[in-house]
Amino acid sequence: MKNILFKNTITALTLFVTLIGFAQNKSSNTVSLDVYYSKIQAEKNPQIIDARGPEEFALNHINGAVNFNLESKDYEQQLAKLDKTKPVFTYSIGAGRSVWLADDLLKKGFKEAYSLEGGIANWIGNGKPFYANSKSKLTLAEYNKIIVENKDVLVDIGSVYCGACKKVKPVLETIKAQYGTNLKIVEIDLEDNPQFIADLKIIKVFPTLILYKNGKIIFKKEGTADLKKQVDLALAQN
């Protein structure tokens, strides 16, 4: 019995140390948009990897990026095309798959690998150059008109491929059921509105929620934490 407990303890400690090590690598490999962009600008032919799925990449991506990730069937062949002596820049919808990829590149002997904090949301959301296969359904002028013509407006900006964004939807339904037509709810996805998100220039991560009252921003937050509570408090202050 003692031997079993001892082995379980050792296993747990090993797992904990492994997770700590990964977290440290994750932190050191993830850089801000300013650092990421400046490093790319310093390269003549930057090696940029989109670590999302092919369907996501086809809709929008950073100019000059190639698409593959850890689950790609030709992963090793794709890696062989890269120069290990030069920096590699990875990104995904946020900073999940891109962090894993950057970590794997370093383990395989690449000199430098950087993951973009906030992912494609941060890049497009701050107006950096990108490719999109369709025009936005919503323009900045139309958006501003919605804000002006409605007293209270709650805006949800995200992506259909974003796991965290999906958690916002049931919260929005609860808010919608409570306030009805007294609160205008606008849901904006990257896939339908890439240029609009770029023109807005205030998005750093998905999802981002913005509440307007009489044309002014009451709060701008990332994620669903306390969203319902914050909306209730803000709307109670007429």
Side-chain angles (χ1 to χ4, degrees), residues 42-209:
E43 296 294 315
K44 185 176 181 181
N45 294 300
Q47 302 182 116
I48 308 172
I49 302 176
D50 186 312
R52 300 176 298 166
E55 67 285 350
E56 297 171 77
F57 179 80
L59 291 170
N60 53 72
H61 55 260
I62 292 176
N63 286 346
V66 295
N67 177 227
F68 66 90
N69 56 54
L70 289 171
E71 296 180 354
S72 299
K73 293 180 179 179
D74 60 346
Y75 180 65
E76 295 299 332
Q77 290 90 335
Q78 292 278 18
L79 286 188
K81 297 176 183 178
L82 301 175
D83 186 341
K84 288 187 175 184
T85 67
K86 296 181 179 180
V88 179
F89 305 92
T90 70
Y91 71 91
S92 52
I93 193 68
R97 288 167 288 183
S98 61
V99 170
W100 299 335
L101 180 55
D103 184 64
D104 192 57
L105 292 175
L106 292 175
K107 289 178 180 178
K108 285 180 165 58
F110 281 78
K111 183 180 179 182
E112 297 176 74
Y114 303 100
S115 171
L116 173 60
E117 181 181 22
I120 194 70
N122 200 7
W123 183 274
I124 293 181
N126 281 276
K128 300 303 183 186
F130 67 95
Y131 162 85
N133 72 353
S134 63
K135 294 181 179 180
S136 291
K137 294 181 178 179
L138 180 68
T139 67
L140 194 57
E142 291 168 338
Y143 178 81
N144 290 332
K145 185 178 180 182
I146 293 172
I147 302 304
V148 170
E149 292 181 347
N150 294 273
K151 180 183 177 182
D152 299 313
V153 183
L154 178 60
V155 181
D156 166 32
I157 301 178
S159 165
V160 296
Y161 294 99
C162 165
C165 298
K166 295 176 182 178
K167 297 179 181 179
V168 176
K169 304 308 178 183
V171 181
L172 290 181
E173 288 302 316
T174 300
I175 293 173
K176 189 182 297 183
Q178 178 177 340
Y179 292 99
T181 57
N182 292 322
L183 174 64
K184 178 72 173 178
I185 296 179
V186 181
E187 298 179 67
I188 301 170
D189 289 327
L190 170 67
E191 292 68 34
D192 292 329
N193 295 283
Q195 190 56 53
F196 165 76
I197 291 175
D199 292 339
L200 198 59
K201 288 186 173 66
I202 59 173
I203 304 302
K204 294 182 178 180
V205 68
F206 293 146
T208 291
L209 289 301

Side-chain angles (χ1 to χ4, degrees), residues 147-148 150-154 179 182-183 210-219 230-238:
I147 302 304
V148 170
N150 294 273
K151 180 183 177 182
D152 299 313
V153 183
L154 178 60
Y179 292 99
N182 292 322
L183 174 64
I210 310 170
L211 180 64
Y212 293 85
K213 179 182 283 288
N214 296 320
K216 296 182 179 180
I217 295 179
I218 301 303
F219 69 72
Q230 286 184 262
V231 169
D232 290 339
L233 289 173
L235 297 185
Q237 299 173 2
N238 292 317

